[in-house]
Amino acid sequence: MLSHPDRRTPVVLLAGFQGPVADGMDHIAQLLGAAPGTVVVRHDLSSLREGVVRRRVRLDGRETASVHELAHGCVSCTLRADLLPLLCRLAARDSVRRIVIALDPAFEAEAVCHAIDTVPVVGLVGRVDGPAGRDVRIEAVVTGLDARSWPADALSDETVDERAGGPG
């Protein structure tokens, strides 16, 4: 039996970096993004109060930025509506060999992976409707933690977000 190689574009998710290790995500994204053909995608949620999500895409030393309106007040819906079609468009480019997604700490990597594999992307010209997982595959999920605080974080009754001073 012949097996066919998986030609989908690999995706690496950087997730869960909070507090003192948050800078580590930027460093890892820079290292991974230095490889030729690697795209780094990052959504910035710092302007949520204004109802917008900012997206940066870096490829081969060039960075583009865009602003997206919050879809009916839902951050997850906005991210899905923006990220999933973007993954399909990037995967269709011959120059793209890998995609790195630097997730905001507010997002669970598992939910993003599930969306990539199951949520249909519809209406992209030249592409049959279906999940982005037909075009990309999750290669790795990388996360970090603060070695000084992880035992207390792991044993606490508070959520990680509450311990980090978030809205909880």
Side-chain angles (χ1 to χ4, degrees):
M1 177 164 81
L2 294 175
S3 65
H4 299 285
D6 190 345
R7 298 191 187 279
R8 296 176 296 165
T9 303
V11 171
V12 176
L13 278 100
L14 305 179
F17 288 81
Q18 293 188 16
V21 296
D23 291 339
M25 181 169 69
D26 291 331
H27 182 67
I28 293 169
Q30 280 183 325
L31 290 173
L32 292 172
T38 298
V39 178
V40 178
V41 177
R42 182 157 199 176
H43 288 83
D44 176 5
L45 304 181
S46 64
S47 298
L48 278 181
R49 293 189 192 277
E50 291 82 41
V52 298
V53 174
R54 299 181 193 288
R55 179 185 73 202
R56 294 184 327 213
V57 177
R58 188 171 58 242
L59 172 62
D60 296 331
R62 294 183 310 263
E63 184 169 292
T64 59
S66 56
V67 177
H68 303 269
E69 189 173 324
L70 199 58
H72 51 78
C74 178
V75 174
S76 294
C77 292
T78 303
L79 183 66
R80 275 195 305 270
D82 179 59
L83 180 61
L84 299 179
L86 176 65
L87 292 175
C88 296
R89 289 191 304 272
L90 290 171
R93 295 173 63 178
D94 289 336
S95 62
V96 174
R97 295 186 196 153
R98 175 175 52 192
I99 301 167
V100 175
I101 304 170
L103 289 176
D104 187 273
F107 292 105
E108 295 282 337
E110 184 178 5
V112 174
C113 291
H114 180 73
I116 288 170
D117 286 338
T118 62
V119 174
V121 176
V122 298
L124 283 184
V125 175
R127 182 183 185 277
V128 176
D129 294 349
R134 290 189 329 201
D135 301 320
V136 300
R137 64 181 164 78
I138 305 300
E139 183 174 58
V141 176
V142 179
T143 190
L145 53 87
D146 185 352
R148 294 170 299 206
S149 68
W150 82 265
D153 291 340
L155 298 172
S156 174
D157 289 334
E158 295 178 300
T159 66
V160 173
D161 194 40
E162 288 168 340
R163 289 190 54 80

